[in-house]
Amino acid sequence: QVQLVESGGGLGQPGGSLTLSCTTSGVTFPIYDMDWHRQVQGGERDLVATINSYGSTNYHHSVEGRFTISRENAKSTVYLQMNDLKPEDTAIYYCKANYGGLEHWGKGTLVTVSS
């Protein structure tokens, strides 16, 4: 059974930092490309950052220079380090695993940025 479990969400201060984790099971993690997406209430789910199986990364322009995606294959886990948080980063953050047309989603973790 495939499971993706996000953690690390919560309340962050503007200008502060949070680190999200997504731990997977039931997938051969090293061969999967991994994404972080986010969705604000009433909005669409947007791609935030990607890391492929080789470790190459891409970011949405709104988070470039502030967020860092990384992966630890030995722990089947992908991370999203979020620095210099802004109120507009408030959303539910989801991780997604992709391989050969297969997609698996986590259930999300809520990040709220507020003073």
Side-chain angles (χ1 to χ4, degrees):
Q1 182 180 0
V2 176
Q3 283 192 309
L4 282 70
V5 180
E6 300 96 336
S7 61
L11 178 63
Q13 300 282 333
S17 299
L18 286 173
T19 301
L20 306 184
S21 301
C22 172
T23 299
T24 70
S25 59
V27 297
T28 307
F29 182 80
I31 66 174
Y32 274 74
D33 299 334
M34 300 297 298
D35 307 335
W36 284 98
H37 297 247
R38 66 186 181 188
Q39 186 171 22
V40 299
Q41 191 171 7
E44 296 185 351
R45 195 171 292 189
D46 295 325
L47 179 63
V48 174
T50 69
I51 184 167
N52 68 16
S53 59
Y54 299 100
S56 295
T57 59
N58 279 289
Y59 299 91
H60 189 274
H61 64 84
S62 65
V63 306
E64 187 132 31
R66 300 189 298 121
F67 290 10
T68 302
I69 187 171
S70 61
R71 63 190 298 158
E72 190 169 359
N73 288 344
K75 294 186 176 181
S76 297
T77 299
V78 62
Y79 304 96
L80 187 68
Q81 174 69 43
M82 304 187 295
N83 297 329
D84 189 21
L85 287 166
K86 304 179 186 298
E88 52 263 40
D89 295 322
T90 296
I92 298 174
Y93 284 73
Y94 300 88
C95 69
K96 180 163 74 80
N98 316 271
Y99 177 74
L102 293 174
E103 293 184 351
H104 306 287
W105 288 89
K107 293 183 178 181
T109 185
L110 176 63
V111 171
T112 303
V113 182
S114 174
S115 56

